[in-house]
Amino acid sequence: MNSIDFAAILFKDIECDFYLLNVQKASSFISDDMMIVSSSTTIYNTIIDAAKKSLSNIVSKLKKCYKNDKHHFHSMVDYDNFIDSINQVSEKNQVDLIIMGTKGASGLQKVIFGSNTVRVIQRCKAPVFAIPDNCVFTNLNKVVFITNSTTSFNSVHLKPLIDLVALNDSKLHVLHIADENHLAHKQSDNIDFFSSHFVNPIHDYIDVKAKDMYNVVHKYVIRNNIKVLCMIGEEHSFIERLFNKHLVETFAFSIDVPFLVMKNN
């Protein structure tokens, strides 16, 4: 619900179709669930009907709360593989952006994103905007795009970032970050691109040991009061080094800013 509220406020002035997708899977239900279903009803229908009713209630609350004629809500329930379902719905409805909530750090495991969020980021075809459950919408006046890629960017790849910055009149920081195998200062091929699509973007260059990369980004976000963290999705290994289990140090840092991952397809 927090991510839905965030999206409704973020796009309050934009004509939008919101598809609220609930994905069910058979393995979620145990024998006890099957025993309480009447003989005239199938497990499938019972599960789907309950999910549809829940989504319908959410849509009613959203319409009542925001009263925004620009926003159109569509509730969808699917009984399928989680990633396959999202990709099918995204392709069929030409979805521009996948928005989902994330629980943040999961206590002792020190895993920043839940497994579903990581899978969606890595395997879904549309850009993904992950909203932490403790993050309420505020002025998105500072956005950072972090990269260790030497490939050239273009306006198709970075359209969600361009739109986000324009919508919120945000200041863009570009953080060129590299580990011991690369030098950040050599990654200057995209300077002209950023200068032509953003107003006076700020470029910072950091060379860092791979094991320290997470903490470096964390400190950068705090020091510069960054409101949104952005990245291109082709850099899976970079994402994993930043946001999956930390193999060297133990810390309990919870991502508290939205995280936008764009695609290069």
Side-chain angles (χ1 to χ4, degrees), residues 249-262:
E249 302 169 349
T250 57
F251 58 93
F253 167 60
S254 175
I255 284 289
D256 55 4
V257 298
F259 183 54
L260 173 65
V261 181
M262 293 157 285

Side-chain angles (χ1 to χ4, degrees), residues 61 81 163 203:
K61 290 178 182 177
N81 173 275
D163 291 345
H203 292 271

Side-chain angles (χ1 to χ4, degrees), residues 3 10 30 32 45 144 156 170 181 196 237 252 255:
S3 64
L10 174 62
I30 58 176
D32 287 347
N45 288 335
V144 65
V156 175
S170 309
N181 298 315
S196 63
S237 60
I255 284 289

Side-chain angles (χ1 to χ4, degrees), residues 195-211:
S195 297
S196 63
H197 288 85
F198 302 94
V199 178
N200 299 322
I202 297 171
H203 292 271
D204 289 314
Y205 301 86
I206 298 177
D207 295 308
V208 62
K209 293 181 180 179
K211 71 181 181 67

